[in-house]
Amino acid sequence: MPLWFGILIVIAIACLFVWYIYPDRTSSPSFLRKYMAISWVIIRRVVCFSAAILGLFIIYIVLTSNEEITLKLIFTLVISLVLLSGFVFIGIVGFAKDESMLDLYKRIKKKYGLRW
């Protein structure tokens, strides 16, 4: 089985997973939906926070290199402002395409009883 087929299956499963736990589906979630929602939030946060830590490691490598200081500063600012803040925000709140991300986050917290 080729690698792209496995990646396609993982993406399809993730899409079904997110559709299943979307907060507007029904009024009261079952135990399975609540467990899946909490699992999804934990997985999302682990992946995003790991990417942010990797970004900090890349910044450390760039700052300890022998390049010109202006290139180091520009690269560090771009990585820290764009990538790290984006990963942390998406890790905590999540991503919504058509509505406010914070509103969706509040509805998910309320529906599934998440603390943060």
Side-chain angles (χ1 to χ4, degrees), residues 14-15 17-19 21-24 37 40-41 43-45 48 82-83 85-109 114:
C15 289
F17 195 74
V18 171
W19 171 79
I21 65 171
Y22 195 73
D24 291 338
W40 174 255
V41 169
I43 290 168
R44 183 184 70 213
R45 288 179 181 172
C48 288
V82 176
L83 293 179
S85 60
F87 277 125
V88 170
F89 181 78
I90 290 175
I92 293 173
V93 174
F95 185 77
K97 185 176 180 180
D98 298 332
E99 59 184 307
S100 170
M101 289 183 254
L102 292 175
D103 290 340
L104 179 65
Y105 174 65
K106 289 176 186 175
R107 285 189 300 156
I108 289 174
K109 271 180 56 174
L114 300 174

Side-chain angles (χ1 to χ4, degrees), residues 56-69 71-73 75-76:
L56 289 174
F57 182 68
I58 290 171
I59 289 173
Y60 171 75
I61 290 173
V62 168
L63 289 177
T64 58
S65 69
N66 293 329
E67 293 294 323
E68 188 178 327
I69 191 70
L71 290 175
K72 288 182 187 181
L73 289 175
F75 186 78
T76 302

Side-chain angles (χ1 to χ4, degrees), residues 1 7-8 12 26 34-35 42 56 66 77 89-90 116:
M1 179 166 60
I7 292 172
L8 192 62
T26 60
K34 188 172 182 175
Y35 177 76
I42 290 170
L56 289 174
N66 293 329
L77 285 174
F89 181 78
I90 290 175
W116 65 284

